[in-house]
Amino acid sequence: EIALPDWDMFHSKHKSAELHAAARAIGGCPVYVSDVPGQHGEKLLKKLVLPDGSILRAQKPGRPTRDCLFADVGKDGKTALKVWNQNRQVTRSSGDASGGVIGVFNVQGVAWNFDTHENEAFPAPPTLTAAIKPHDIETLRPHQGPFAVWSHREKSFQVLPSGETTTDISLQPHEWEIFTVEPVQQSGFVKWAPIGLGDMLNSGGALLHVGPLEETTTTTNSTFGEDAGDGWWRQTTTAEIETRGPGRFVAYCQPAPSSII
C-alpha cells in the first residue's frame, strides 16, 4: 500500500457527529475536526482521543467487508455499510493474537449521482438489519473460534463459538454500532479475552500486546503431623497484557480472576 486513505475532517458538534466519529475511530486514519473554535463535542471527542492527545488508531486502512463490497449501501434499501480493521500487528514469534473491530453503519438515503456529479438524497431511508461475524475481519480468518464480541453502544458482551457464527443488529437511518472482536484463549478450564477500554469507540486499540495464557504449578512439602511428606500443589493460570490509556477496562474471563496486578 502506498497511500493512507482517511475520512477527512468532521464537526464534532453536529447531528451526525457520532456516526462520523465512529467511522474515524475504525478507519486507521488521522482524526481531525473542523469545529468552530469553542464549539466542540467534548464528550464525543474524549471517546476518540486519550488525555495525552493520542488516538487509539487501528493498524490498517478501514476496508468494507466482503458481503457489502459490491452492494450500493447508499440506495439499495437493504445493505448496511460494514467496515473492518485490525487492532494489533503481530508476528508468528510474538505469541500474540490479533484483535479486530467492525463498524456497521446505516447510510441509506444518500448516494452519488454519476450524471449530475453530486450527492442525491432519497426520502424515507429504511431501517436495516445487518449480520456481523468474527470472520468479517480478514485477519481473524485463521482463527476458528470462539470469539468474544463487545458492542460499544449497547455495552453488551457475547461469545460466538466460531468465526462464521453471526449476530444481528437493527439500525435506524443514520445509526451505527462498533463491535470489538477478540479470539478467546483457553487453558484448562480458564477462558480469557481482553477487550480494551470499553468507553472508547475503538476499545481494542488500547491493547498493545496480548500474551498467551500460561500455567504454573507450585508444590509444597508438608513437614508436620500425619501429612508430613505428602505436600500439596496449586496450579495458577496467568494472562499478561500491555495496554495504554485510562478508563474502564473490559475483558471476558471465566471463571472470574482471583487477582489483578
Side-chain angles (χ1 to χ4, degrees):
E1 295 172 343
I2 59 173
L4 176 63
D6 70 34
W7 291 96
D8 209 344
M9 61 189 71
F10 74 106
H11 295 296
S12 67
K13 201 170 186 179
H14 185 272
K15 64 179 181 179
S16 298
E18 288 192 355
L19 183 146
H20 283 281
R24 278 118 182 117
I26 64 168
C29 55
V31 176
Y32 42 102
V33 297
S34 53
D35 294 334
V36 174
Q39 297 185 25
H40 309 290
E42 295 181 6
K43 185 177 179 180
L44 177 60
L45 290 174
K46 287 180 179 180
K47 296 181 180 181
L48 281 170
V49 184
L50 295 176
D52 65 1
S54 65
I55 61 173
L56 303 182
R57 186 168 175 172
Q59 296 296 309
K60 299 179 179 292
R63 294 172 169 88
T65 59
R66 294 187 184 192
D67 56 346
C68 72
L69 186 58
F70 296 108
D72 190 337
V73 298
K75 66 175 183 179
D76 71 4
K78 60 182 181 181
T79 307
L81 172 63
K82 294 163 56 180
V83 178
W84 71 272
N85 214 321
Q86 178 183 352
N87 265 331
R88 291 188 306 284
Q89 294 283 12
V90 299
T91 63
R92 291 184 179 181
S93 61
S94 69
D96 204 343
S98 172
V101 61
I102 306 169
V104 190
F105 308 88
N106 184 348
V107 292
Q108 293 283 337
V110 178
W112 183 255
N113 188 313
F114 288 92
D115 294 325
T116 62
H117 301 288
E118 58 186 5
N119 283 319
E120 180 180 2
F122 301 90
T127 297
L128 301 178
T129 298
I132 71 104
K133 59 185 180 183
H135 282 178
D136 281 333
I137 302 168
E138 296 292 325
T139 51
L140 289 183
R141 286 183 172 264
H143 299 275
Q144 298 307 308
F147 296 89
V149 181
W150 169 254
S151 173
H152 173 79
R153 294 187 70 192
E154 294 185 357
K155 298 292 186 285
S156 64
F157 216 118
Q158 56 187 310
V159 176
L160 301 182
S162 76
E164 293 298 316
T165 305
T166 62
T167 181
D168 291 342
I169 181 171
S170 178
L171 296 174
Q172 298 289 330
H174 312 300
E175 278 193 333
W176 57 275
E177 182 58 281
I178 292 178
F179 295 92
T180 301
V181 184
E182 284 283 338
V184 175
Q185 299 185 45
Q186 184 166 357
S187 178
F189 61 89
V190 176
K191 298 178 181 179
W192 156 256
I195 292 297
L197 296 179
D199 296 320
M200 300 296 284
L201 289 171
N202 184 20
S203 302
L207 295 173
L208 302 177
H209 170 70
V210 177
L213 289 175
E214 296 184 353
E215 292 186 355
T216 304
T217 301
T218 303
T219 60
T220 301
N221 290 325
S222 176
T223 58
F224 300 98
E226 296 179 353
D227 294 330
D230 292 341
W232 55 269
W233 63 274
R234 182 178 67 180
Q235 183 170 294
T236 303
T237 302
T238 59
E240 181 179 334
I241 62 170
E242 182 181 355
T243 185
R244 66 190 181 104
R248 182 171 63 120
F249 189 84
V250 176
Y252 167 72
C253 188
Q254 292 290 338
S258 58
S259 62
I260 301 173
I261 302 174

